Amino acid sequence: MNAIILTGSIATGKSTVASLLKLYGYSIISADEVAHKLLKEHSKEIEEMFATSDRKELGAIVFNNKEKRKQLENFLHPKIKEYILAESKKLEEYNIPYFLDIPLYFETGNYNEFKNVVVVYTPKEIQIQRLANRNNISLEEAKKLVELQMDIEEKKAKATYVIDNSGNLKHLQKEVDKFINQLKS
């Protein structure tokens, strides 16, 4: 009831927005952090499936193989959702807004019980440039990574709220302030 999905795409600034929201005192449940925790907890099973449980090696495997990516998602996503729902139940008791940081919210279609969605938006060209700079990869590699996810324009169209991150950090701070004011009213 009080949950707000926080999503975007790779290199749109979602993690920065999550950090800013934490500074405002909001609780954040991060699907990525849950996934990392579950990867550790289930490392034996994952190693049996993929011959490794190392995150970087696993990433390389699933990046290059759709079937393997689907296999990992089918294993992890139900466990991630179960954890997120349990944590959400605890936060609901406070009856104040909190955020579920779910990068692949639209792609998975797994969280239909949550209706309010804020998308951190960056135009695709800026997104690709930021990703290339951040990960020290070519623009071509960055473009391939960006195209693995649903197009940011499509996510923006489906959002309840949009936080624009096409400028600098000061611009983003103003956008987050504006969003929080919307939330309060």
Side-chain angles (χ1 to χ4, degrees), residues 53-69:
S53 62
D54 178 79
R55 273 193 19 235
K56 281 194 175 189
E57 290 175 19
L58 203 53
I61 291 168
V62 301
F63 176 72
N64 293 309
N65 185 320
K66 280 185 181 179
E67 290 84 32
K68 293 285 186 188
R69 183 167 54 247

Side-chain angles (χ1 to χ4, degrees), residues 6-21:
L6 174 63
T7 195
S9 287
I10 192 168
T12 59
K14 187 183 52 53
S15 297
T16 305
V17 169
S19 296
L20 291 170
L21 291 169

